[in-house]
Every structure is written in C-alpha cells, then in structure tokens.
Amino acid sequence: MQKLLKRTAQVENQAARRNRIRRKNKASDDKRIFHYQQKLANSAHKENRNSARQAMKEDWNLGPLAPRRDVGDKAETYGTVHFRMLQAINKPPGRWKDWGIREGDRVCVVGPKEREKGKIGVVGELTVRADSCKVNVATPEYMKVGGRTEAPIQTTEAPLDLASVRLVTPLPDPVNGIKRDVIVNELTLTPTGQRYISNYISPETGKPHYIPWPPREKPEFKDNDVDTLRIDVEQVTWTPTLLRAPFPSGVIDELRNKYSKFRTRHEDSYIEMKEAIDERQKLKDQKMKWSGGTPEKMLTPVQELNRQRRAERKGLDEDKLTDEVLAKIGEMMWRKGKRPPPKEMDAVGSRAMEAPAPTDSSVQDQAP
C-alpha cells in the first residue's frame, strides 16, 4: 500500500511540475507575442505618419501641379487606416491594472498626446487585458453609422489608454455647496469592491467620498410555455439519508478513470488486498532474518558496483585543515598584503597574522 501511495504522490508532483513549466512557457510566449504585436503596430503607425508627411511636402512644393491621391483604389478609402490598427493589444498577465473605471463612467481625456484632450465622454467599451477603453468623444454623431452597412469605410472610436483618462464625478463646491464636475486624479479600490477618492474627505459626512459604480442594464428574460415554473423548481422531490448512497457505486467509475494514477480513494476490498500483500512480505523478510539470511533483494551488477563505491567513499577520511596549515596560510596572506575576511579567519590563523612578519634586515642580521 505504501508503494501505491508513493506512486500517487510522485505522479502528482510530476503533474504539478509540468503545469508550472507550461505556465512559465505560456507567460514567455504571451510576452513575446505582445512585444511583436506592439512592434508591428508602431512600425505601421510610423509608416503612415511618414507617408502623410511626404505627401504634404510634395503638395506644398508642387502647388497646383500636385497630383490627386484620392483616385483609383483609394478613391473612397484615402485618409483612412485599417481596422486592425484600431484594435487594442492585449498585455501579458501580470501587467494589467485596475484603474477603477467601468463601462458607463464619465471620463475626461487628459493624455498629452491625445487629440481629444480636455473632452468629457462616456466609456462605451472597456478592454481590461489591454488597459484601454473607447470613449464616445472621438467620433461626431453625424459620422457614426449604425448597424451593418456595405460602405467601404466606417467610423469608430480609437482605443485610448486608461492612463490617459480620468474619472469625472460631481462634488459639492466647498464655497457655495453647488455640485460641479470634478476630475478625479487618483482612485482607491477597497477589497469589498468599492472605490473612493484618495486624499479627500467629504465635508458633509466627514468620511471618504465613495463613488458608486455605473448602473448595469438588467437582461430581460421572456417566459415561454416550455419553461419550468419556479414552484416546480423549488419543490424538494428527494431527501438523502445516511442509510443509502446518493448514487450507485458504479457511477463514480464513469466519472473518473478507475485505474488512474492520480486516484487517492480506493475501495475497501482493494485496500485489504494491498495490506495483506504487505503483511506477507513482512513475514517473509522476518523468516529470512531468523534463518540467517538477508531480506535484501537481488541486485544487478551495476547496483552492486555503485553500493561498493559508496562504501569506499564513506570509509575515506576527509582532508581537514590542521592548525599548522592554517597558521602557514595566514602567514603567507600577511606577507602578500591580503587580509582575509573576519568570518573566514581561524583562531590559529588570526594569531599567526597578528605576529609581525620578518623583514629582510632581520633575516640578514640572523644570518651567520
């Protein structure tokens, strides 16, 4: 039975290790894909910007002789970009941030590089994995096309980074008490799912001012004739008891593999069989011990060689540094001007280092 438990623990550790490696590889792949997509998007934006600047210079230099560029294949799509350039790039896990903004919030564009800086709009679409949102201030109402259309171009909002928008909420004016729209620079999220303004205390309550989340539209469910009534759903038709299993014993084998290596709960008959095998093996080993034999199993030549080598290595005495060797090492280090760290200095070696080193003159005086 111990072998079975050991095998189960081993396969669980192996599976956990494989999962860790798989998660690590996936995180590395997500990071590489993110940088690759970001590089492609930056190169595409740079190419469009350079081509537009080049066309502007040519039109300025040529004047009335400037060629028309909105002809041919670009007759209806000149000056537009591909829809893929307006898609937000998902960031790898661990690089997202909850800014406390949800769909339906009123926000103000404050990014220094945004064309719509200073405008206030409502968040229409939020992409959490990309830390971006679409605000309905970038597209005028007369340019919006609703529903499916066969037009060659469609107008849509470009995604904005969540770091370039700030939440807008009405707060009472401390002077006259009239509520005015205020741009919230920093939000704090609580573990309970609430948000409040950092470094701001409400003058009315003397507590932090909590900002409610935008209301969500409740889905409308339509009842049909084939739907089950609530009274029938809530009616209790079966009560479990301790005298009877909730389902037949053979059903569990259909839900999971009966012979799985990850199985930890076994039937009583199987456990008794494994314990009986262990008892027979113990009795067999005990009889061999009483008869003067060894209960060890037969070893292969390689196993015998490895056991012999381990015994030889165990019998060898490890080389130890004596006091004389440590003193000699300390003396040589003192001569060369290298003082060892205090933690590595031995008591004997330190005494040898504290002794004054012989000079050349003393050696000459002692020479006959």
Side-chain angles (χ1 to χ4, degrees):
M1 192 64 187
Q2 295 299 327
K3 292 183 179 180
L4 184 63
L5 298 177
K6 182 179 179 180
R7 186 192 67 174
T8 304
Q10 183 178 3
V11 295
E12 288 180 352
N13 294 335
Q14 292 175 354
R17 180 175 177 271
R18 288 194 299 268
N19 292 334
R20 288 196 301 270
I21 295 175
R22 191 180 296 111
R23 288 194 297 268
K24 183 178 179 181
N25 294 338
K26 187 178 183 304
S28 178
D29 294 341
D30 293 343
K31 185 177 180 181
R32 184 173 63 255
I33 292 173
F34 168 72
H35 289 298
Y36 178 72
Q37 292 178 350
Q38 197 174 30
K39 182 179 179 181
L40 290 180
N42 293 337
S43 61
H45 285 293
K46 184 177 180 180
E47 182 179 357
N48 291 341
R49 183 172 60 253
N50 293 340
S51 60
R53 289 177 178 176
Q54 184 67 22
M56 181 182 64
K57 291 181 180 179
E58 292 180 358
D59 295 345
W60 176 265
N61 295 330
L62 295 178
L65 299 179
R68 291 189 56 186
R69 305 181 189 278
D70 53 344
V71 294
D73 298 338
K74 298 183 179 180
E76 297 181 350
T77 60
Y78 179 73
T80 62
V81 295
H82 198 269
F83 73 96
R84 294 188 180 277
M85 297 182 62
L86 299 179
Q87 292 181 351
I89 302 175
N90 294 334
K91 296 182 179 181
R95 301 184 63 176
W96 312 334
K97 181 181 178 180
D98 191 356
W99 296 84
I101 297 176
R102 299 293 184 270
E103 297 180 359
D105 282 331
R106 296 177 65 243
V107 295
C108 178
V109 182
V110 297
K113 298 182 180 180
E114 305 296 343
R115 291 176 50 188
E116 311 298 334
K117 182 180 179 180
K119 294 185 179 180
I120 298 177
V122 180
V123 177
E125 182 179 348
L126 181 66
T127 307
V128 180
R129 294 189 58 185
D131 280 347
S132 64
C133 64
K134 290 185 178 181
V135 187
N136 59 0
V137 299
T139 305
E141 291 292 337
Y142 69 89
M143 296 182 62
K144 294 184 179 179
V145 180
R148 302 181 62 181
T149 178
E150 297 181 357
I153 60 174
Q154 293 184 6
T155 306
T156 181
E157 295 86 358
L160 303 177
D161 193 4
L162 287 176
S164 62
V165 298
R166 293 293 185 272
L167 184 67
V168 176
T169 184
L171 291 178
D173 193 340
V175 179
N176 51 22
I178 301 176
K179 288 190 175 182
R180 301 169 53 189
D181 286 339
V182 177
I183 299 177
V184 181
N185 188 29
E186 186 177 357
L187 280 173
T188 302
L189 302 178
T190 63
T192 57
Q194 296 178 333
R195 56 180 180 176
Y196 63 90
I197 305 176
S198 305
N199 302 326
Y200 176 78
I201 301 299
S202 176
E204 300 176 355
T205 61
K207 298 180 180 180
H209 180 75
Y210 287 88
I211 302 176
W213 298 103
R216 295 184 179 180
E217 297 181 359
K218 296 183 179 180
E220 297 181 0
F221 299 100
K222 185 179 180 181
D223 296 336
N224 299 318
D225 298 337
V226 297
D227 294 338
T228 306
L229 299 178
R230 178 178 290 275
I231 189 173
D232 296 334
V233 174
E234 296 179 353
Q235 183 180 0
V236 179
T237 58
W238 184 79
T239 304
T241 61
L242 298 177
L243 303 178
R244 185 177 59 181
F247 53 84
S249 59
V251 176
I252 190 65
D253 294 336
E254 300 178 4
L255 301 178
R256 55 115 170 99
N257 186 9
K258 183 179 180 181
Y259 304 100
S260 176
K261 296 182 293 185
F262 298 94
R263 182 173 179 177
T264 56
R265 292 177 293 180
H266 304 276
E267 300 175 357
D268 296 339
S269 59
Y270 184 77
I271 296 176
E272 292 177 359
M273 182 189 67
K274 287 295 183 181
E275 291 179 351
I277 293 175
D278 295 343
E279 290 294 335
R280 288 197 298 267
Q281 185 65 29
K282 288 182 181 179
L283 292 175
K284 184 178 179 181
D285 297 343
Q286 191 174 7
K287 288 181 180 179
M288 293 182 64
K289 185 176 181 180
W290 289 345
S291 60
T294 56
E296 299 179 356
K297 297 181 180 180
M298 182 179 296
L299 302 177
T300 61
V302 177
Q303 293 175 345
E304 293 180 355
L305 179 60
N306 293 336
R307 177 172 295 186
Q308 182 180 359
R309 289 180 176 177
R310 285 196 297 269
E312 292 177 356
R313 288 196 299 267
K314 188 176 181 180
L316 295 177
D317 295 334
E318 298 181 357
D319 296 336
K320 298 181 179 179
L321 296 176
T322 60
D323 295 344
E324 293 78 5
V325 176
L326 292 175
K328 190 65 175 177
I329 293 175
E331 182 181 352
M332 295 301 297
M333 295 177 66
W334 184 269
R335 285 176 178 273
K336 293 183 178 181
K338 297 181 179 180
R339 194 175 185 87
K343 295 183 179 180
E344 300 181 1
M345 292 177 60
D346 189 74
V348 179
S350 61
R351 288 196 300 269
M353 294 177 187
E354 293 175 359
T359 59
D360 297 339
S361 60
S362 62
V363 174
Q364 293 178 1
D365 295 341
Q366 295 177 3

